[in-house]
Structures are given as structure tokens and as C-alpha cells.
Amino acid sequence: MKCPACGYENLAGSDACENCGTSLTQEDVPQAGTKIERSLMEDPVECLQPIRPLTVDTQTSLQDAIQLMRNHGIGCVLITSNDGKLTGILTERDLLQKVAGQGLDLGHCRVGDFMSQAPESSKPEHPLGFALQRMIFCDIRYLPIVDDNHRPAGIVSSRDVIGYMAKQFQTADEFPAATQSL
């Protein structure tokens, strides 16, 4: 690794330059080069203005959970334990993959039997890039936002992230090279 101060070629993984003593640890940390990159690395998830989540317990009927989702125009409900902590999520995808076409009596089926357990989540102060990475890597559309006690504090969707980033692109002075030729 080359020292940024004196140009001395150090062994990979060195913490400090052997020649001048300059710290080399910052060389491994990605640096934002554009407004978009800064936004992903520095803007907190709470800038997406998470909406208040719909919550139910594991004993709620599928019929009631589906009606709640329809009434509020949202594609998921969060499942909480007796102490209010996030334990699961029931999404439109869960309903399509686990319920649709099964001929079930939705009034007698419990959310706890069809929810996705231990869902990915984020805290409000996590960087936007963290939320986006979790959503892409885990192939999820909804990311619960939890407080320090793992209680639901909000929820963001992939649409929220896309909308926020679209606004960032509109106000950015620079665009990635790939989009400049379009």
C-alpha cells in the first residue's frame, strides 16, 4: 500500500507508513466522490421519513391482517411479540407464495404460521446505503425500522429509497459517466 503523504510502498495491511508514520487506515475506507455517493454513505435511513408501521401479534387471523393491509394501502404488517419486539413480517409476497390457491379459511389461519420470521431491519441512524444493501441482498421490498429495544418505529419500502435517490439525482451537479451519454 502506497503512503499518500510520502509515496513509500508499505506492506499491505500496515496501519502506518514505515517511512513517515502517516496513518494508512483511512486508505481502506471508501470515500464519497459524488453527492449521490455521499448521500448513500452519510444520509440516515430516517431521511426517508419512515411511515408508522401496522403491527399485529402472531395470533391475528390472516383475514384481519389482510383487511388491515388493504384498509391502509400498504403491502405488509409487522408482527410483534407480547413485549412489542419485532418477530416477523407478513408481506404480499408471503400471501402469494404461502396462502394463495391453498383454499384456506383465512379467518381460522394465524399470521404466525405464514409470516417471515426474524426479518431484516434497520435503525433510523443507519446510513441509507446500509438499508439499500440489505434490501437488495435479501431481495425484500419492505424494511422495518426498529428502536434500540428492537420495537418497530417505522417502515420504509424500496419505492421510498428509489424516490429519495431520484430527488438526489435531480439536484446533483454530476452524473455517473454511464448516464452522461444517454
Side-chain angles (χ1 to χ4, degrees), residues 129-144:
F130 172 84
L132 184 58
Q133 188 270 350
R134 297 314 311 151
M135 294 173 95
I136 292 169
F137 183 77
C138 299
D139 192 26
I140 56 176
R141 288 182 52 205
Y142 298 100
L143 185 68

Side-chain angles (χ1 to χ4, degrees), residues 56-59 77-81 85-91 93-95 97-98 110-121 134 138 140 142-144 146 150:
V56 298
D57 64 46
T58 58
Q59 295 305 307
V77 292
L78 302 183
I79 318 310
T80 55
S81 60
K85 293 183 179 182
L86 179 66
T87 60
I89 187 170
L90 181 72
T91 67
R93 183 183 294 172
D94 292 320
L95 295 172
Q97 292 179 343
K98 301 173 187 175
R110 300 292 159 231
V111 167
D113 296 327
F114 298 92
M115 70 182 187
S116 295
Q117 295 184 16
E120 289 291 327
S121 63
R134 297 314 311 151
C138 299
I140 56 176
Y142 298 100
L143 185 68
V146 295
H150 208 65

